[in-house]
């Protein structure tokens, strides 16, 4: 394994960091479900502004960076 890290010029810590990241649950699963529901209800015609507004109307405040 160490030979592969040298060839790929990748630190072991980076490899194990990403392995652990894939095992963690996604904290945005509920938000993603609601956004998909909004898009489906609008026949996929809403842009991000209308989706954000609809989320706000449902009481879900999301930062503009998300």
């Amino acid at each position: 394994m160490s030979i592969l890290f040298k060839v790929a010029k990748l630190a072991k810590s980076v490899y194990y960091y990403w392995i652990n990241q894939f095992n963690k649950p996604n904290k945005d699963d509920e938000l993603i479900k609601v956004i998909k529901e909004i898009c489906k209800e609008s026949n996929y015609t809403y842009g991000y502004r209308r989706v954000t507004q609809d989320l706000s109307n449902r009481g879900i405040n999301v930062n503009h960076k998300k």
Side-chain angles (χ1 to χ4, degrees):
M1 197 80 157
S2 62
I3 295 172
L4 291 174
F5 292 135
K6 287 180 184 178
V7 171
K9 296 182 182 177
L10 183 71
K12 281 196 295 189
S13 59
V14 174
Y15 171 77
Y16 288 112
Y17 170 81
W18 282 106
I19 293 296
N20 289 331
Q21 289 298 314
F22 287 123
N23 293 332
K24 289 183 180 178
N26 189 352
K27 62 183 178 179
D28 295 326
D29 279 341
E30 290 299 318
L31 179 62
I32 292 170
K33 288 178 186 176
V34 174
I35 291 173
K36 285 181 179 181
E37 180 182 313
I38 291 169
C39 291
K40 191 172 183 180
E41 289 173 0
S42 71
N43 294 324
Y44 303 96
T45 57
Y46 281 5
Y48 76 93
R49 289 184 179 100
R50 287 175 106 183
V51 171
T52 305
Q53 184 179 22
D54 202 340
L55 285 170
S56 181
N57 291 340
R58 293 178 187 217
I60 303 170
N61 293 320
V62 179
N63 189 318
H64 68 281
K65 296 178 186 177
K66 191 159 215 155

